[in-house]
Amino acid sequence: MNLSNAEEQLMNLIWEKGRAFMKDILASYPEPKPANTTVATLLKRLQEKGAIRFELYGNSRAYFPVVDKNDYFSRKVNTMIKKFFNDSPAQFASFFTKETELDTKELEDLKKIIEEQLKSQKR
């Protein structure tokens, strides 16, 4: 599933809330807030893509995610690694650590995460 930036922004709001009515979604947007019709169109596209569903409560719809946030971003990162880094996570990691200007503490934290992952895979 490929989402536009606007769709991803809306999905992030829905993932954050877990379940939200249109008024809750609109209230969550930063200024300048999009028009109701814009959000309605995005919601419809997300439904068509299978990212969200809704339940009716009277005349109101409560939207909720069908796609897990971690699963979505995992697929997105893996696609990016294939597309831009010759399907090499090592090239991606090299680019990430050099180009994001991580400080020493952030690099140490990243090193710990990698070491913990290595330990868990050896078990």
Side-chain angles (χ1 to χ4, degrees):
M1 169 186 348
N2 195 18
L3 302 180
S4 69
N5 289 340
E7 291 167 342
E8 276 186 12
Q9 182 182 19
L10 177 52
M11 278 303 298
N12 273 316
L13 295 174
I14 294 170
W15 278 318
E16 182 182 299
K17 299 220 174 276
R19 182 174 300 269
F21 293 95
M22 175 72 106
K23 65 181 175 73
D24 301 321
I25 292 168
L26 287 168
S28 297
Y29 269 99
E31 293 292 341
K33 295 186 185 298
N36 292 13
T37 54
T38 301
V39 175
T41 299
L42 291 171
L43 288 167
K44 183 174 179 171
R45 287 196 312 210
L46 289 172
Q47 288 173 66
E48 290 169 354
K49 291 181 178 186
I52 64 171
R53 290 194 187 126
F54 67 86
E55 290 180 347
L56 280 174
Y57 292 90
N59 292 332
S60 298
R61 295 178 177 186
Y63 296 93
F64 59 93
V66 176
V67 174
D68 179 72
K69 184 176 183 175
N70 288 339
D71 289 344
Y72 173 77
F73 283 105
S74 176
R75 284 192 303 265
K76 187 167 178 137
V77 168
N78 285 324
T79 299
M80 183 181 61
I81 290 170
K82 284 180 183 153
K83 189 174 181 178
F84 296 108
F85 299 98
N86 301 317
D87 204 12
S88 170
Q91 283 183 16
F92 170 73
S94 175
F95 175 84
F96 176 76
T97 56
K98 290 176 185 172
E99 299 300 322
T100 55
E101 300 177 6
L102 299 173
D103 64 28
T104 304
K105 182 182 180 331
E106 291 168 323
L107 285 168
E108 287 292 335
D109 290 345
L110 188 56
K111 181 180 172 185
K112 285 178 191 172
I113 292 168
I114 292 169
E115 287 171 350
E116 288 171 11
Q117 187 65 28
L118 284 168
K119 284 179 190 174
S120 74
Q121 285 188 2
K122 287 180 181 178
R123 293 181 197 154

